Amino acid sequence: MKKTILITMTGLSMMLAGCGGGQKAPDKQLEADTVPADFKYEVDAFADLEILRYYVPGFKNLNLEQKELVYYLSMAALEGRDILFDQNNKYNLAIRRTLEAIYENYKGDKNTNDYKEFEVYLKRVWFSNGIHHHYGEEKFLPTFSKEFFADQVKALPANLVPTREGQSVDDFIKVITPVMFDAKIMAKKVNQSGGDLIVTSANNYYGEGVTQKDVQDFYGAMKDTTDLTPISYGLNSRLVKEDGKLVEKVWKVGGLYSSAIERIVFWLEKAQTVAENDKQKEVINKLISFYKSGDLKTFDQYAVAWVEDLNSQIDFVNGFTEVYGDPLGIKASWESTVNFKNIEATKRTEVISSNAQWFEDHSPVDKRFKKEKVKGVTAKVITVAQLGGDCYPSTPIGINLPNADWIRKDHGSKSVTIENIMEAYDAAGAHTGFGKEFMWSDVEVNMIKEYGFVTDVLHTDLHECLGHGSGKLMPEVDPNALGEFSSTIEESRADLFGLYFLGDAKLVELGIIPNADAYKAEYYKFMMNGLMTQLVRIEPGKDIEEAHMRNRQLIAKWVYEKGKADNVVEYKVRDGKTYVVVNDYVKLRTLFGDLLAEIQRIKSEGDIKSAKALVMDYAVKVDPVLHKEVLARYKTLNMKPYKGFVNPVFELVQDKDGKITDVKISYSEGYTEQMLRYSKEFSTLPTYND
Ligand code: ZN
């Protein structure tokens, strides 16, 4: 649920540019708008990061009002950037502004090691929206000297050093230097284990002196267990201690972060004038009211209206949304995306959904565990047009919102797959040499070139639209019966449902897979990844912890073991390198079906003993020798483990009377260029937001 973040990097999916997902038959009246052959995805690379750009297919074919709407929502998406910096750590804006001032005023030698390392550090701060790693949460340290830093700050014109009122430049340096350079100070943005989780987390969601117990007592007292529609307590505020008393400082117009929120509201008001319909107008209207009042009841009304808005082509997320940045999961970071429905690709998910009962009836699980009446979820396939806040530059490939449980239950949720981002990952992965290094032969490499992307998105569709919703629990079984193993088992179940049907002739009949052999591409990739290549994300000596990674190894290892007698899948060694080879795809499919049946039984019966055995036997442990080999081979490819994106640039075209006649989109802005421009054009917050 929630965000699906493609943490990969492994080039797990690799496919040539320009090959969209599935059936992209362009509308007859309109000229097809697909990725140009010369579109350059790669923008920049540094540290463990690679910056890509994404194309927005179909933007040209929107009507003028829709384009304007995308423009205004995109502006609103960029205005919240500083909020996120400040939420992540209270010194982030001071540090970013100092570094930018140095970057723009530097007159020394740019070939020194200090300067080069300084540039990398600045790029990393931009990428992470602060001084902590965007994924690992730990503070990354500058690799230039403290002396270099101090000299550069002192060389700046005094008005460019973001000192506090009355603070001297020397004092400023004294305060900021340990925050940047000392590994022990503010070591983790989010601490999930050990000690007081609030005190030891370096985020800015709680004020000085607020403890974990304070927070739990404060919000615990607010909760009313009889309320069937509870608000998301504490979602949009910082909790601080004033004169020993806990108070919430609400993020709203007139409250904390007001100057940025006012700008967001400014653009939303413009967006409202070109809304596609009344429902969408209501959505925007509710969001504006929420930003003005800070009232979480209004936020829920907005979320309900948003989930009900199914007819608009343009859609967006804008606000305090995900709570991963708070170890207690209460405070939400600010994020935004602007997108529009990929109508052709969404037809694919509608076909899947409308046949949900057929899939349920034909799944290999025991009849007792099947739903008599199943309802597929239609996952929209979208094209993203702008990313902001916590979705930029690192972005999810899928989003499932809203987060409030009662809204999901009573009003449903929207699940989206961001196809143009997946496409960019794929295209960029195609040139890395990853396939050549890890795949057994040209047969596999070519198969994945041809069908890798189509079957990858189809697997995701089946997983999301059908997999999670299939099957039923026995009446007496507690939905939480599988405890700590539940997410690995649940993800395995959804993945297996997708894998099993990917190889079914029904998909050819429905016209959503090109032919009866295409599924082999995803099968091969899945096995290679689960048995071998996903290990590139694990540090030597460590076990597999993350639920999705556990699920993939669980499936791959189980079918490998069970198919051993028939040599269904094997490891082959050539020139001292290990490869995964699939010998029998038909039997492999049967094995996926067998495991699906067993996992559904475990889930339906709440059999935690078997769940534990499966996870422990197959999902957690890593073969240290193979692991070492995979890491060494991966290293030679020089690939970056994490990727992010620059946005396209939108520009209003006006005639001599100021009337808007078009919105232009361009893709030429570089990474540094974009970051510096955002820091000038979309930066209204004070450096210190106490
Ligand atoms: Zn899932």
Side-chain angles (χ1 to χ4, degrees), residues 1 463-464 468 490-491 494 548:
M1 278 204 271
H463 175 122
E464 299 292 348
H468 282 304
E490 178 55 20
E491 290 310 319
H548 291 84

Side-chain angles (χ1 to χ4, degrees), residues 352-380:
I352 291 171
S353 252
S354 57
N355 285 280
Q357 193 65 51
W358 185 93
F359 288 102
E360 183 77 0
D361 293 345
H362 291 79
S363 98
V365 314
D366 193 306
K367 229 173 129 192
R368 291 178 300 143
F369 309 137
K370 285 188 188 182
K371 276 196 178 119
E372 293 79 19
K373 249 192 145 55
V374 63
K375 202 173 170 300
V377 180
T378 302
K380 234 186 353 175

Side-chain angles (χ1 to χ4, degrees), residues 403-416:
N403 283 333
D405 287 327
W406 72 267
I407 300 180
R408 299 176 73 89
K409 202 167 124 265
D410 296 354
H411 302 272
S413 66
K414 276 194 224 171
S415 173
V416 301

Side-chain angles (χ1 to χ4, degrees), residues 590-604:
T590 310
L591 289 168
F592 284 144
D594 293 347
L595 183 56
L596 174 57
E598 170 62 0
I599 286 206
Q600 183 62 57
R601 181 198 65 75
I602 289 171
K603 169 115 183 170
S604 293

Side-chain angles (χ1 to χ4, degrees), residues 12-73:
L12 301 178
S13 27
M14 53 213 77
M15 179 61 195
L16 291 177
C19 240
Q23 289 50 58
K24 271 190 189 165
D27 195 301
K28 278 187 197 90
Q29 282 84 41
L30 299 167
E31 198 190 320
D33 180 14
T34 51
V35 189
D38 60 349
F39 189 75
K40 200 171 176 310
Y41 287 97
E42 293 85 356
V43 178
D44 202 351
F46 46 88
D48 55 352
L49 307 167
E50 182 175 12
I51 310 294
L52 305 173
R53 72 175 89 248
Y54 59 93
Y55 188 74
V56 188
F59 179 76
K60 286 182 201 158
N61 294 334
L62 297 176
N63 67 40
L64 180 58
E65 290 212 324
Q66 289 177 316
K67 285 183 185 175
E68 256 187 83
L69 181 57
V70 168
Y71 177 83
Y72 296 134
L73 292 171

Side-chain angles (χ1 to χ4, degrees), residues 548-566:
H548 291 84
M549 290 184 71
R550 282 188 168 185
N551 125 50
R552 291 179 198 128
Q553 179 169 301
L554 190 161
I555 295 173
K557 275 231 159 112
W558 192 92
V559 294
Y560 167 74
E561 293 286 342
K562 301 291 165 186
K564 238 179 181 168
D566 294 331

